[in-house]
Amino acid sequence: MTEIPAHTTLWPAPHASGPVFATVHVPGSKSVTNRALVLAALAAEPGWLRRPLRSRDTLLMAAALRAMGVGIEEGVGPDGSGEAWRVIPSGLRGPATVDVGNAGTVMRFLPPVAALADGPVRFDGDPRSYERPLNGVIDALRVLGARIDDDNRGSLPMTVHGGGALDGGRVEIDASSSSQFVSALLLSAPRFNQGVEVRHVGGPLPSMPHIRMTVDMLRTVGAQVDTPESGGEPNVWRVTSGALLGRDLTVEPDLSNAQPFLAAALVTGGKVIVPDWPERTTQPGDRLREIFTLMGGSCELTEQGLEFTGSGSVHGIDVDLSEVGELTPGIAAVAALADSPSTLRGVAHLRLHETDRLAALTKEINELGGDVTETADGLHIRPRRLHGGIFHTYDDHRMATAGAIIGLAVPGVEIENVGTTAKTLPDFPDLWAGMLGN
């Protein structure tokens, strides 16, 4: 668990005096933005990225690609409609230094890109980034022909000695601690001389929707991908070597970041509309429609967007979140306010996220009077009458939004370092206050 500095600023979480009724425009998806940036940087021609998310993680990704020689021009789209980034590929080069912050997508997606650069690329980041596993990517890249200096730690800091190309081929990895290990190899694979065949050989693979998102986006830019879903072997993905097309891509709203706003409707018995919710998506956040309906709400996809309505009652849930682990903090917060116990399963890998999310949620909810216990692969939550207090975030954006959800129903909750939400949800405090009409 991360030690919390005593001087950290506290944010009084707004308390809802009644049902919340609001329309909330959720910014673009971090997962889509960062994948699109990588694919555009590896393309054979320039491309456009519309409605990109501007957050700490995406700006770190853009800065890293620029450091390796990629042109990224920020402005408006070719038709003048809204913000867009023009990505201009060029010969990837070093020497370069990449600051990953604490962004899993940056620290995992870019080492394969760096292996294609001409020269060394050093990766460094926040102290917590040193604790996050990278061995799945490092070991795989070595098998595929890359030279990496990590002092045999399997983590940051490290230097990838790019040779201008990478052989590619077959590799076995254990991605049970992060599906990003698979996505990292697939995203750059079209540029490998032999493409890649990635075979997952470990335990259950978490966050499968994120791998499906990677595959879907690869196909959008012209890559040939064979997957288990398309008739291939289980846990095997193959990407054929070939040129990627420069595309005009529009980023969907980040559905996982819609979670606290939908939760607000659920816990206050109100109604929240999220415009531009896609009818079809690979984003894990789309499962909120099902999960929060089971917990007492109802939803409808209309021309205005997703309309989510709370019933005034919140019910406990027994749910496997292995494919949508990032939703766990928000679901745990709602479960702590429910009228019956909840069991959240399949998320042991959350111990390796921005912080140990299972330990953090247990400690913080319990310190507000809750009754949460860790299980081998999740949490068991018995609702109790909660009281105010400090909700620590451990530099984890989803801990901060979880605390804000509890604060809607529990007066006197103060969020430590709410600014950490800038990682994926810029201006969260203003969006939250706007939703409440403050």
Side-chain angles (χ1 to χ4, degrees), residues 26-346:
V26 176
S29 164
K30 175 206 72 173
S31 298
V32 173
T33 299
N34 275 356
R35 282 166 173 78
L37 282 171
V38 171
L39 292 172
L42 296 173
E45 55 195 348
W48 287 96
L49 184 57
R50 299 175 186 261
R51 296 186 192 171
L53 173 68
R54 291 183 58 86
S55 72
R56 186 183 187 217
D57 280 17
T58 61
L59 294 176
L60 285 168
M61 179 68 84
L65 291 169
R66 287 188 180 111
M68 287 188 272
V70 178
I72 302 176
E73 301 173 353
E74 302 180 29
V76 296
D79 56 2
S81 60
E83 183 175 10
W85 293 351
R86 178 75 161 164
V87 183
I88 304 168
S90 63
L92 296 166
R93 61 181 182 271
T97 298
V98 169
D99 175 11
V100 309
N102 191 18
T105 52
V106 181
M107 72 179 73
R108 291 165 182 152
F109 292 177
L110 289 188
V113 176
L116 298 168
D118 187 7
V121 180
R122 177 169 173 77
F123 288 80
D124 208 337
D126 298 352
R128 171 63 182 173
S129 72
Y130 294 6
E131 303 171 28
R132 302 185 68 181
L134 271 181
N135 53 298
V137 173
I138 293 171
D139 294 346
L141 286 174
R142 285 179 174 144
V143 170
L144 298 174
R147 186 161 69 92
I148 300 173
D149 177 13
D150 70 330
D151 292 333
N152 296 315
R153 287 185 306 270
S155 61
L156 294 178
M158 68 178 186
T159 298
V160 179
H161 296 276
L166 195 67
D167 291 338
R170 296 182 178 182
V171 65
E172 292 186 350
I173 64 170
D174 180 353
S176 56
S177 61
S178 176
S179 69
Q180 289 176 351
F181 294 166
V182 174
S183 288
L185 297 171
L186 300 185
L187 285 167
S188 292
R191 289 283 302 273
F192 299 168
N193 293 338
Q194 303 171 43
V196 81
E197 177 184 299
V198 179
R199 186 178 296 267
H200 166 62
V201 294
L205 193 57
S207 303
M208 278 296 297
H210 278 126
I211 296 179
R212 289 193 282 271
M213 176 187 293
T214 298
V215 169
D216 193 53
M217 294 184 68
L218 275 162
R219 288 172 173 161
T220 296
V221 296
Q224 181 178 327
V225 189
D226 295 320
T227 70
E229 291 88 352
S230 60
E233 296 177 62
N235 291 326
V236 177
W237 293 263
R238 295 183 180 89
V239 180
T240 302
S241 178
L244 297 178
L245 305 172
R247 291 293 201 196
D248 188 333
L249 298 175
T250 300
V251 178
E252 299 173 350
D254 192 314
L255 306 188
S256 294
N257 277 341
Q259 182 180 39
F261 305 102
L262 302 183
L266 181 57
V267 303
T268 69
K271 180 177 180 179
V272 167
I273 299 173
V274 178
D276 302 317
W277 194 286
E279 288 188 27
R280 175 192 171 275
T281 182
T282 52
Q283 287 193 62
D286 196 43
R287 269 202 68 198
L288 287 167
R289 292 194 284 168
E290 169 202 343
I291 293 168
F292 278 174
T293 295
L294 291 172
M295 297 186 81
S298 62
C299 65
E300 182 182 4
L301 206 52
T302 71
E303 291 183 358
Q304 283 70 45
L306 181 70
E307 297 185 4
F308 188 86
T309 307
S311 63
S313 298
V314 180
H315 310 311
I317 192 171
D318 185 329
V319 62
D320 183 340
L321 299 176
S322 57
E323 291 204 346
V324 292
E326 66 194 49
L327 304 180
T328 302
I331 293 169
V334 173
L337 303 170
D339 57 15
S340 58
S342 294
T343 300
L344 313 184
R345 295 178 282 105

Side-chain angles (χ1 to χ4, degrees), residues 359-384:
L361 287 164
T362 299
K363 179 176 182 294
E364 298 309 314
I365 294 174
N366 286 351
E367 289 192 353
L368 298 182
D371 184 359
V372 182
T373 54
E374 285 191 60
T375 64
D377 71 339
L379 299 172
H380 187 60
I381 302 168
R382 303 169 191 83
R384 296 287 186 269

